[in-house]
């Protein structure tokens, strides 16, 4: 019941963001500023606090990296097969990337931090780093290839090199691996700031959700939903069970892959010739339905 209560609270905050956008309180400018606070301040603080006491050798393993890559590429491959006959390339490209591109940063790490202990959160932060380095270039490549768009993949890779979340992850793991200490007041302050990551992220996601019901392609959207919030976490469950990883790694991996489609896929679609209405709809539906699927999954692994 505690897990259900937490996820219902998250759903309320998510819908609050949608309501604030509809009333004009969270307009585009305010949403952008709120998004910047979440992305550049709260989420990095959460990641640093969860990792600065952990040595990288205790979190990163061959089994973890291999399992993450296997789940990601197998899901992407299945998505390619499922969506290969979509009517248009702009819709096909969006359907493929949204079937595997997970919202592991804004929702995954903060949700795990609010639900599980610091060890699971630290592993989730490492998963965020590894998966982001792969899924972002992969999505840009797929969109640009199918839509004939001019994508500067090199520029995207340079953006990754200055990504505040990844830089904070490296800083936290470096402090932990070197056995350095962080002053108590600083750690407490960062912990407080990090606790804001999830509510801020949910408000931003809610303010970004839009849906045009008359334009719903039920078959395409249903396939994206099935692959993203059902098949991908199920595959992660099988893969990491077979790898016989520890309980914390198993929990972090399965829950992270169970997160909905990332809002950033809508941005990529807009930049690289994808079907933006379709992308927006899929973000909305996977986010809304994932509240129920995450409750079931967290109950099973918790």
């Amino acid at each position: 019941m505690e897990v259900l209560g937490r996820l219902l609270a998250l759903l309320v905050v998510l819908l609050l963001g949608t309501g604030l956008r509809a009333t004009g309180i969270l307009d585009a400018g305010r949403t952008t500023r709120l998004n910047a606070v979440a992305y550049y301040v709260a989420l990095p603080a959460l990641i640093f606090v969860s990792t600065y006491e952990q040595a990288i050798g205790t979190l990163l393993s061959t089994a973890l990296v291999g399992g993450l890559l296997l789940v990601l590429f197998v899901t992407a491959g299945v998505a390619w097969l499922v969506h290969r006959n979509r009517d248009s390339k702009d819709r096909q490209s969006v359907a493929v990337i949204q079937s595997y591109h997970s919202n592991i940063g804004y929702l995954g790490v903060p949700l795990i931090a609010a639900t599980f202990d610091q060890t699971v959160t630290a592993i989730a932060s490492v998963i965020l780093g590894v998966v982001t380095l792969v899924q972002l270039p992969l999505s840009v490549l797929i969109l640009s290839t199918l839509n004939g768009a001019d994508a500067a993949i090199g520029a995207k890779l340079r953006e990754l090199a200055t990504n505040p979340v990844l830089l904070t992850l490296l800083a936290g793991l470096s402090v932990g691996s070197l056995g350095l200490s962080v002053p108590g007041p600083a750690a407490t302050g960062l912990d407080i700031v990090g606790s804001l990551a999830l509510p801020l992220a949910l408000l931003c996601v809610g303010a970004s959700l839009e849906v045009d019901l008359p334009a719903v392609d039920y078959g395409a959207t249903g396939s994206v939903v099935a692959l993203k919030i059902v098949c991908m976490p199920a595959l992660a469950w099988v893969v990491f069970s077979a790898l016989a990883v520890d309980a914390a790694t198993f929990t972090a991996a399965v829950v992270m892959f169970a997160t909905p489609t990332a809002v950033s896929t809508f941005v990529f679609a807009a930049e690289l010739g994808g079907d933006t209405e379709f992308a927006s709809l899929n973000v909305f539906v996977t986010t809304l339905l994932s509240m129920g699927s995450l409750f079931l999954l967290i109950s099973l692994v918790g």
Side-chain angles (χ1 to χ4, degrees):
M1 291 303 293
E2 182 181 358
V3 174
L4 178 60
R6 286 179 178 178
L7 286 173
L8 287 176
L10 300 185
L11 180 59
V12 169
V13 178
L14 180 75
L15 295 177
L16 176 62
T18 303
L20 291 175
R21 186 208 70 226
T23 58
I25 296 176
L26 266 183
D27 57 18
R30 294 191 183 100
T31 301
T32 298
R33 290 191 289 273
L34 192 65
N35 186 69
V37 173
Y39 187 68
Y40 289 99
V41 181
L43 185 56
L46 171 61
I47 289 173
F48 183 82
V49 168
S50 68
T51 56
Y52 79 91
E53 293 181 320
Q54 306 279 346
I56 189 171
T58 64
L59 301 176
L60 191 62
S61 65
T62 303
L64 175 60
V65 175
L68 294 175
L69 295 179
L70 180 60
V71 173
L72 182 61
F73 282 112
V74 168
T75 305
V78 172
W80 185 277
L81 292 174
V82 170
H83 300 297
R84 67 187 184 280
N85 294 322
R86 295 292 166 212
D87 294 336
S88 59
K89 294 295 184 182
D90 59 344
R91 179 156 295 193
Q92 179 194 10
S93 61
V94 169
V96 171
I97 70 164
Q98 290 193 318
S99 295
Y100 69 80
H101 198 119
S102 306
N103 198 340
I104 53 177
Y106 264 15
L107 291 184
V109 174
L111 174 62
I112 285 177
T115 310
F116 300 100
D117 62 27
Q118 189 171 357
T119 301
V120 181
T121 306
I123 296 172
S125 299
V126 172
I127 291 172
L128 170 61
V130 174
V131 173
T132 298
L133 289 171
V134 179
Q135 74 175 7
L136 191 151
L138 179 62
S139 294
V140 170
L141 179 62
I142 290 173
L143 282 167
S144 60
T145 300
L146 287 179
N147 297 320
D150 183 16
I153 295 180
K156 294 295 182 182
L157 293 177
R158 286 192 293 273
E159 288 178 13
L160 280 176
T162 58
N163 185 298
V165 171
L166 297 180
L167 291 176
T168 307
L169 173 62
L170 290 175
L173 291 174
S174 297
V175 170
S177 298
L178 294 173
L180 304 178
S181 61
V182 175
T188 301
L190 288 171
D191 193 33
I192 293 172
V193 174
S195 67
L196 299 175
L198 185 56
L200 287 177
L202 286 169
L203 282 174
C204 292
V205 172
S208 303
L209 296 181
E210 295 183 18
V211 58
D212 184 9
L213 288 177
V216 173
D217 182 340
Y218 292 101
T221 295
S223 298
V224 171
V225 170
L227 285 168
K228 183 68 213 64
I229 67 174
V230 179
C231 296
M232 197 172 195
L235 177 61
W237 188 297
V238 172
V239 168
F240 284 94
S241 294
L243 291 172
V245 296
D246 59 85
T249 299
F250 175 84
T251 298
V254 172
V255 175
M256 289 285 272
F257 278 130
T259 54
T261 299
V263 179
S264 60
T265 58
F266 170 81
V267 178
F268 295 152
E271 292 177 350
L272 300 171
D275 186 333
T276 54
E277 290 186 1
F278 180 62
S280 177
L281 171 66
N282 292 338
V283 171
F284 177 88
V285 175
T286 58
T287 301
L288 194 62
L289 294 182
S290 70
M291 294 295 105
S293 61
L294 282 167
F295 164 66
L296 176 61
L297 194 61
I298 291 172
S299 299
L300 291 173
V301 302

